[in-house]
CSV table of all heavy atoms in Angstrom, one decimal:
chain,number,residue,atom,x,y,z
A,6,THR,N,5.8,12.8,5.4
A,6,THR,CA,6.1,14.3,5.6
A,6,THR,C,7.2,14.4,6.6
A,6,THR,O,7.1,14.0,7.7
A,6,THR,CB,4.9,15.1,6.0
A,6,THR,OG1,3.8,14.9,5.1
A,6,THR,CG2,5.2,16.6,6.1
A,7,PHE,N,8.3,15.0,6.1
A,7,PHE,CA,9.4,15.4,7.0
A,7,PHE,C,9.4,16.9,7.3
A,7,PHE,O,9.5,17.6,6.3
A,7,PHE,CB,10.8,15.0,6.3
A,7,PHE,CG,10.9,13.6,6.0
A,7,PHE,CD1,10.5,13.1,4.8
A,7,PHE,CD2,11.5,12.7,6.9
A,7,PHE,CE1,10.7,11.7,4.5
A,7,PHE,CE2,11.7,11.4,6.6
A,7,PHE,CZ,11.3,10.9,5.4
A,8,ASP,N,9.3,17.3,8.5
A,8,ASP,CA,9.4,18.7,8.9
A,8,ASP,C,10.8,18.8,9.6
A,8,ASP,O,11.1,18.1,10.5
A,8,ASP,CB,8.3,19.1,9.8
A,8,ASP,CG,7.0,19.3,9.1
A,8,ASP,OD1,7.0,20.0,8.0
A,8,ASP,OD2,6.0,18.8,9.5
A,9,LEU,N,11.5,19.8,9.1
A,9,LEU,CA,12.9,20.1,9.6
A,9,LEU,C,12.9,21.5,10.2
A,9,LEU,O,13.2,22.5,9.5
A,9,LEU,CB,13.9,20.0,8.4
A,9,LEU,CG,13.9,18.6,7.8
A,9,LEU,CD1,14.0,18.6,6.3
A,9,LEU,CD2,15.1,17.8,8.4
A,10,PRO,N,12.6,21.6,11.5
A,10,PRO,CA,12.5,22.9,12.1
A,10,PRO,C,13.9,23.6,12.1
A,10,PRO,O,14.9,22.9,12.3
A,10,PRO,CB,12.1,22.6,13.5
A,10,PRO,CG,11.5,21.3,13.5
A,10,PRO,CD,12.2,20.5,12.4
A,11,GLY,N,14.0,24.8,11.7
A,11,GLY,CA,15.2,25.6,11.7
A,11,GLY,C,16.1,25.3,10.5
A,11,GLY,O,17.1,25.9,10.4
A,12,ALA,N,15.7,24.4,9.7
A,12,ALA,CA,16.5,24.1,8.5
A,12,ALA,C,16.0,24.9,7.3
A,12,ALA,O,15.0,25.5,7.3
A,12,ALA,CB,16.3,22.6,8.1
A,13,GLY,N,16.9,24.9,6.3
A,13,GLY,CA,16.6,25.6,5.1
A,13,GLY,C,17.0,24.8,3.9
A,13,GLY,O,17.4,23.6,4.0
A,14,PRO,N,17.0,25.4,2.7
A,14,PRO,CA,17.4,24.7,1.5
A,14,PRO,C,18.8,24.2,1.5
A,14,PRO,O,19.1,23.2,0.8
A,14,PRO,CB,17.1,25.7,0.4
A,14,PRO,CG,17.1,27.0,1.0
A,14,PRO,CD,16.6,26.8,2.4
A,15,GLU,N,19.7,24.8,2.3
A,15,GLU,CA,21.1,24.3,2.4
A,15,GLU,C,21.1,22.9,2.9
A,15,GLU,O,21.9,22.1,2.4
A,15,GLU,CB,21.9,25.3,3.3
A,15,GLU,CG,22.0,26.7,2.7
A,15,GLU,CD,20.7,27.5,3.1
A,15,GLU,OE1,19.9,27.1,4.0
A,15,GLU,OE2,20.6,28.6,2.5
A,16,LEU,N,20.4,22.6,4.0
A,16,LEU,CA,20.4,21.3,4.6
A,16,LEU,C,19.8,20.3,3.5
A,16,LEU,O,20.4,19.2,3.3
A,16,LEU,CB,19.6,21.2,5.9
A,16,LEU,CG,19.4,19.8,6.4
A,16,LEU,CD1,20.8,19.2,6.9
A,16,LEU,CD2,18.4,19.8,7.6
A,17,TYR,N,18.7,20.6,2.9
A,17,TYR,CA,18.1,19.8,1.9
A,17,TYR,C,19.1,19.5,0.8
A,17,TYR,O,19.3,18.3,0.4
A,17,TYR,CB,16.8,20.5,1.4
A,17,TYR,CG,16.2,19.8,0.2
A,17,TYR,CD1,15.4,18.7,0.4
A,17,TYR,CD2,16.5,20.1,-1.1
A,17,TYR,CE1,14.8,18.0,-0.7
A,17,TYR,CE2,16.0,19.5,-2.2
A,17,TYR,CZ,15.1,18.4,-2.0
A,17,TYR,OH,14.6,17.7,-3.1
A,47,GLY,N,10.1,22.2,0.2
A,47,GLY,CA,10.1,23.7,0.2
A,47,GLY,C,10.1,24.3,1.5
A,47,GLY,O,9.9,23.5,2.5
A,48,PRO,N,10.3,25.6,1.6
A,48,PRO,CA,10.3,26.2,2.9
A,48,PRO,C,8.9,26.4,3.5
A,48,PRO,O,7.9,26.5,2.8
A,48,PRO,CB,10.9,27.6,2.6
A,48,PRO,CG,10.5,27.8,1.1
A,48,PRO,CD,10.5,26.5,0.5
A,49,VAL,N,8.9,26.3,4.8
A,49,VAL,CA,7.6,26.5,5.6
A,49,VAL,C,8.1,27.5,6.8
A,49,VAL,O,9.2,27.6,7.0
A,49,VAL,CB,7.0,25.2,6.2
A,49,VAL,CG1,6.5,24.4,5.1
A,49,VAL,CG2,8.0,24.5,7.0
A,50,ASP,N,7.1,28.0,7.5
A,50,ASP,CA,7.4,28.9,8.6
A,50,ASP,C,8.3,28.2,9.6
A,50,ASP,O,7.9,27.1,10.1
A,50,ASP,CB,6.1,29.4,9.3
A,50,ASP,CG,5.4,30.4,8.5
A,50,ASP,OD1,6.0,31.1,7.6
A,50,ASP,OD2,4.2,30.7,8.8
A,51,GLY,N,9.5,28.7,9.8
A,51,GLY,CA,10.4,28.1,10.8
A,51,GLY,C,11.2,26.9,10.4
A,51,GLY,O,11.8,26.2,11.2
A,52,GLY,N,11.2,26.6,9.1
A,52,GLY,CA,11.9,25.4,8.6
A,52,GLY,C,11.8,25.0,7.2
A,52,GLY,O,11.5,25.9,6.3
A,53,PHE,N,11.8,23.7,7.0
A,53,PHE,CA,11.8,23.2,5.6
A,53,PHE,C,10.9,21.9,5.7
A,53,PHE,O,11.0,21.2,6.7
A,53,PHE,CB,13.2,22.9,5.1
A,53,PHE,CG,13.3,22.9,3.6
A,53,PHE,CD1,13.4,24.1,3.0
A,53,PHE,CD2,13.5,21.8,2.9
A,53,PHE,CE1,13.6,24.2,1.6
A,53,PHE,CE2,13.6,21.8,1.5
A,53,PHE,CZ,13.7,23.0,0.9
A,54,ARG,N,10.2,21.6,4.6
A,54,ARG,CA,9.3,20.4,4.6
A,54,ARG,C,9.6,19.6,3.3
A,54,ARG,O,9.7,20.2,2.3
A,54,ARG,CB,7.9,20.8,4.7
A,54,ARG,CG,6.9,19.6,4.6
A,54,ARG,CD,5.5,20.1,4.8
A,54,ARG,NE,5.3,20.5,6.2
A,54,ARG,CZ,4.4,21.4,6.6
A,54,ARG,NH1,3.5,21.9,5.8
A,54,ARG,NH2,4.3,21.7,7.9
A,55,VAL,N,9.6,18.3,3.5
A,55,VAL,CA,9.7,17.4,2.4
A,55,VAL,C,8.5,16.5,2.5
A,55,VAL,O,8.2,15.9,3.5
A,55,VAL,CB,11.0,16.5,2.4
A,55,VAL,CG1,11.0,15.5,1.3
A,55,VAL,CG2,12.2,17.5,2.4
A,76,LEU,N,21.3,12.2,7.6
A,76,LEU,CA,20.6,13.1,8.5
A,76,LEU,C,21.2,13.1,9.9
A,76,LEU,O,21.4,14.2,10.5
A,76,LEU,CB,19.1,12.8,8.5
A,76,LEU,CG,18.3,13.3,7.3
A,76,LEU,CD1,16.9,12.7,7.4
A,76,LEU,CD2,18.3,14.8,7.2
A,79,LEU,N,24.3,15.0,10.1
A,79,LEU,CA,24.1,16.5,9.9
A,79,LEU,C,23.3,17.0,11.1
A,79,LEU,O,22.9,18.2,11.1
A,79,LEU,CB,23.3,16.8,8.6
A,79,LEU,CG,24.1,16.4,7.4
A,79,LEU,CD1,23.2,16.5,6.1
A,79,LEU,CD2,25.3,17.4,7.2
A,80,GLY,N,23.2,16.2,12.2
A,80,GLY,CA,22.5,16.7,13.4
A,80,GLY,C,21.0,16.5,13.5
A,80,GLY,O,20.4,17.2,14.3
A,81,HIS,N,20.5,15.7,12.7
A,81,HIS,CA,19.0,15.5,12.6
A,81,HIS,C,18.7,14.0,12.9
A,81,HIS,O,17.8,13.5,12.2
A,81,HIS,CB,18.4,16.0,11.3
A,81,HIS,CG,18.5,17.5,11.2
A,81,HIS,ND1,17.6,18.3,11.7
A,81,HIS,CD2,19.5,18.3,10.7
A,81,HIS,CE1,17.9,19.6,11.5
A,81,HIS,NE2,19.1,19.6,10.8
A,82,ALA,N,19.3,13.4,13.8
A,82,ALA,CA,19.1,12.0,14.1
A,82,ALA,C,17.7,11.7,14.7
A,82,ALA,O,17.2,10.6,14.5
A,82,ALA,CB,20.2,11.5,15.1
A,83,ASP,N,17.1,12.7,15.3
A,83,ASP,CA,15.8,12.5,16.0
A,83,ASP,C,14.6,12.9,15.1
A,83,ASP,O,13.5,12.9,15.5
A,83,ASP,CB,15.8,13.4,17.2
A,83,ASP,CG,15.9,14.9,16.9
A,83,ASP,OD1,16.3,15.2,15.8
A,83,ASP,OD2,15.7,15.7,17.8
A,84,LEU,N,14.9,13.0,13.8
A,84,LEU,CA,13.8,13.4,12.9
A,84,LEU,C,12.8,12.2,12.8
A,84,LEU,O,13.1,11.1,12.6
A,84,LEU,CB,14.4,13.6,11.5
A,84,LEU,CG,13.4,14.0,10.4
A,84,LEU,CD1,12.7,15.4,10.7
A,84,LEU,CD2,14.1,14.1,9.1
A,85,GLN,N,11.5,12.6,13.1
A,85,GLN,CA,10.4,11.6,13.1
A,85,GLN,C,9.4,12.0,12.0
A,85,GLN,O,8.6,13.0,12.3
A,85,GLN,CB,9.8,11.5,14.5
A,85,GLN,CG,10.7,10.9,15.5
A,85,GLN,CD,11.1,9.5,15.2
A,85,GLN,OE1,10.3,8.7,14.9
A,85,GLN,NE2,12.3,9.2,15.4
A,86,PRO,N,9.3,11.4,10.9
A,86,PRO,CA,8.4,11.8,9.9
A,86,PRO,C,7.0,11.4,10.2
A,86,PRO,O,6.7,10.5,11.1
A,86,PRO,CB,8.8,11.0,8.6
A,86,PRO,CG,9.5,9.8,9.2
A,86,PRO,CD,10.2,10.3,10.5
A,87,THR,N,6.0,12.1,9.6
A,87,THR,CA,4.6,11.7,9.8
A,87,THR,C,4.3,10.8,8.6
A,87,THR,O,4.6,11.2,7.4
A,87,THR,CB,3.7,13.0,9.7
A,87,THR,OG1,4.1,13.9,10.8
A,87,THR,CG2,2.2,12.6,9.8
Side-chain angles (χ1 to χ4, degrees):
T6 303
F7 299 91
D8 283 313
L9 299 136
E15 299 82 10
L16 174 66
Y17 172 83
V49 294
D50 286 342
F53 208 75
R54 177 174 293 155
V55 177
L76 282 171
L79 295 170
H81 293 275
D83 60 348
L84 182 64
Q85 295 296 316
T87 300

